[in-house]
Amino acid sequence: MRKSAVVLCAVAAIGAVAVVLVPATSPETSSGDTELVSVVVNHGRTVELGPAETRSVPVEVTASDRSGIRAVDPIGLWGPNYGTLKVGPMSCVPLDAAGTTARCSGEAVIAAGSRALFDDQAGTWFVDLRIRAADGDRYVSKNAAGFSLKRTAGFDLASVVPARAAVGEAVTVRGRLRRADWDRDAEVPQQGTTAYLQFRPAGSSTWSTLASTGTDADGLLSLNVPVRGPGAFQWYAPGDKWTGSALSEVLPLRVDAPESHPGR
């Protein structure tokens, strides 16, 4: 009994020492008068990435502190399903004579190829940063700003319309919508997506929507529309949170002049 008690006490003591030796961790917090003024990724525009494409995306941070801004470091980007991206070294330039406000710029390299980015990581991403002032103050944020990272989409050469038709005749306008597949480094059919068929009369610069339809499992869509005069068609898909918008090439249509009937 005594031997068991001694062993139990020893185990308890070791456990207690272990607890003491493992320090409690807490997230870093902001301190002092350092302020974040703005964060701009890709000049405020959505980042769209095709299959196997690599892009350098600018990241710009503006901050202020009475003592001046020393650095923005570390800084990174994070997104859905544990997506993370590094931002290169930030270069800071004072914006005022007193040096209290500075703009710091760097770039993030975003690559869709080599299994570096996956389809389920498209969507809303955030900027994680620490701003360090000259007097030791700091500003820390895990989501200092958000931006959109999407898969590209496009209509391919299967988008067609007859070259010519007669007024009153019905023509079939076809299209095929595809989007980037980051997992496979390829473009694949985009199914179950609504696309709009638009028409522009000859001599006009204004497009109007005629009808909408959805893509099938092969990304194909088709609409029958009556011919009212010469002009051009195009397909438009507005995109969503994960995929960019797409616009087909212009599909011109010539319209035969009505036959003349002498005496009428």
Side-chain angles (χ1 to χ4, degrees):
M1 290 291 294
R2 183 177 179 84
K3 183 177 180 181
S4 298
V6 170
V7 172
L8 289 174
C9 289
V11 172
I14 293 173
V17 171
V19 170
V20 171
L21 292 178
V22 177
T25 59
S26 60
E28 188 178 19
T29 59
S30 303
S31 65
D33 65 334
T34 306
E35 294 184 357
L36 174 65
V37 177
S38 66
V39 179
V40 180
V41 178
N42 197 37
H43 307 294
R45 299 191 293 266
T46 296
V47 180
E48 295 188 14
L49 207 63
E53 182 181 3
T54 299
R55 287 187 56 188
S56 293
V57 175
V59 179
E60 188 178 89
V61 178
T62 303
S64 66
D65 186 278
R66 285 194 301 268
S67 67
I69 300 300
R70 185 174 65 178
V72 176
D73 179 60
I75 178 171
L77 312 175
W78 63 273
N81 295 299
Y82 306 102
T84 58
L85 295 168
K86 293 181 179 179
V87 178
M90 301 287 283
S91 176
C92 297
V93 177
L95 297 181
D96 56 356
T100 58
T101 303
R103 179 173 295 133
C104 304
S105 304
E107 287 188 340
V109 176
I110 306 179
S114 304
R115 309 289 288 175
L117 195 64
F118 298 90
D119 290 341
D120 62 4
Q121 292 174 332
T124 302
W125 281 62
F126 298 93
V127 179
D128 177 3
L129 55 72
R130 180 178 64 187
I131 302 168
R132 295 187 290 172
D135 60 0
D137 292 348
R138 61 179 181 267
Y139 178 94
V140 180
S141 177
K142 291 291 183 182
N143 54 354
F147 67 98
S148 292
L149 175 59
K150 299 183 179 183
R151 299 154 65 182
T152 56
F155 291 92
D156 62 17
L157 296 179
S159 299
V160 294
V161 67
R164 60 194 309 144
V167 174
E169 181 183 351
V171 296
T172 301
V173 186
R174 295 183 173 88
R176 182 167 60 192
L177 181 62
R178 301 166 70 86
R179 68 174 170 182
D181 187 313
W182 295 339
D183 293 353
R184 290 182 278 179
D185 296 344
E187 288 188 340
V188 298
Q190 186 174 354
Q191 60 177 321
T193 299
T194 298
Y196 299 86
L197 181 63
Q198 299 177 332
F199 181 75
R200 181 184 65 190
S204 172
S205 60
T206 302
W207 292 92
S208 59
T209 298
L210 301 179
S212 65
T213 187
T215 58
D216 64 14
D218 295 318
L220 297 172
L221 32 81
S222 176
L223 280 172
N224 293 321
V225 292
V227 175
R228 294 186 174 88
F233 296 93
Q234 69 177 11
W235 290 102
Y236 168 66
D240 54 29
K241 183 178 179 179
W242 308 276
T243 307
S245 61
L247 196 64
S248 76
E249 63 178 351
V250 174
L251 309 170
L253 175 69
R254 293 180 59 187
V255 174
D256 297 329
E259 295 182 5
S260 61
H261 298 277
R264 291 190 181 181

